[in-house]
Amino acid sequence: MRGVVVAGTASGVGKTVTTLAVCRALEREGYEVQPAKAGPDFIDPSHHAAVVGKPSRSLDPWLEGDDGMRRTYARGEGDICVVEGMMGLYDGDTSTARVAALLDLPVVLVADARAGMQSVAATAYGFRAYADRMGIDADVAGVIASRAHGGRHAEGIRDALPEELPYLGRIPPSGDLEIPERHLGLHLGDEAPLSDEALDAAADGIRADALAEVAREPGWDTEEFEVGVRAEAAQATDSDGPTVAVARDEAFCFVYPSTLDRLESLGAVSYVSPVGGDDLPDCDGVYLPGGYPERFAAELASSPTLSALADRAADGLPVFGECGGLMALAESLTTTDGDTHEMAGILPADVTMRERYQALDHVELRATDGTLTADAGETLRGHEFHYSSADPATDARFAFDVERGTGIDGREGLTEYRTLGTYAHVHPESGAFDRFVSRLTD
């Protein structure tokens, strides 16, 4: 599958809208598009999925390792994979430039053109040259001008670009192309989708065929990874392993598609909506992903799912909660309005929402004892981004030491019975979900 990385000169230049416009433009030309996102984000991929109609793959070498990230890329299906970058092209220790280099994909640079023409070309040229200075094999192979008017403005940018940096189109300045924000980032794709009219207008400015020519097949052996992915998919069709109940609704919406793929290959998956008032199905274990439990705290407080979880957890049912899942498994959740709601009461901690984020980083955890997702002494890599703080009981037990990141006062993995709650999100390439499923039959 050919691919291209849509990267920005900085955060806030319009990468998400540009990515969506590129996807729409390519689809209109008859290409089957596979969306993807560099980094650990859950929100931008929800916008990709809303527009393209298929899950967007998360590509992060810290979470997945280099080969794991390539396996995730190989899971995609289509003619062209469009990867949205994170922050500016070279920002961060797991930068978009590094992702593009590891995947051997060309970069299309999104430059904010609100107040420039020739200077936009100079900026793009500098970004192309800076790869050598950084020692990263990042191939900046084209430019899209964000918030650029047509006519003389667009022509000035196009004419100023050198031959090796083709002009691949523009995104017009329009209030209809703004996506609302809340804490943790943009609204989700199914909450605040761009109108078809606005997206079509943006796609009109993309030179889809020229962009498709820039996209290329990776130089590494994709077939080697695709064979493993196909074998896993075949296993999912006839697996008779344990059943995992997975919470999926507006409160528990941050889950990597690869996680669901992996769980389905290892056993059976039964989806449950705590917000919708579902009963807990028959299962051998439960996974509560992250999301926005604070937005639905009242519904969760009265949910039969949480009350059943409390009973089943006390009887030894393995339960794994990440971030929002940790919050739902706690004693209580207090919103920024000061309203306190009882949660499942399994983990000995009270959680309070804050006005400012409490942690944002890639993390590394070392298991102090064997737990649901790691053996004693093993390390797990993950990501944390949350606006809540947890106040654990003085006798609370933790499964991990934090070697990088914040966790809960320098520790991580609240544990009680066979329940584990972490602020960290992990990817299945870490092996955490394989270990979790293996524990269900212990």
Side-chain angles (χ1 to χ4, degrees), residues 74-158:
R75 291 178 189 279
E77 298 178 346
D79 301 312
I80 299 177
C81 182
V82 178
V83 183
E84 179 183 351
M86 55 183 167
M87 301 184 289
L89 175 59
Y90 296 106
D91 296 330
D93 53 5
T94 54
S95 65
T96 298
R98 184 178 172 215
V99 170
L102 288 170
L103 292 174
D104 190 25
L105 296 179
V107 172
V108 171
L109 190 68
V110 181
D112 192 338
R114 280 178 295 186
M117 286 195 301
Q118 288 84 357
S119 294
V120 173
T123 299
Y125 188 78
F127 267 76
R128 179 180 171 87
Y130 192 68
D132 288 339
R133 181 178 179 85
M134 290 290 290
I136 297 177
D137 189 17
D139 176 19
V140 179
V143 177
I144 294 176
S146 176
R147 304 183 180 108
H149 296 280
R152 181 173 175 271
H153 190 194
E155 291 169 3
I157 297 168
R158 182 195 62 202

Side-chain angles (χ1 to χ4, degrees), residues 273-279 303-305:
S273 171
V275 171
D278 291 348
D279 287 326
S303 172
T305 311

Side-chain angles (χ1 to χ4, degrees), residues 67 70-76 220-236 262 265:
D67 282 350
R70 293 182 179 119
R71 270 190 294 271
T72 300
Y73 183 91
R75 291 178 189 279
W220 43 276
D221 185 5
T222 57
E223 178 63 24
E224 174 187 346
F225 295 94
E226 290 167 358
V227 168
V229 170
R230 288 195 293 270
E232 181 179 303
Q235 182 181 350
R262 190 62 185 154
S265 75

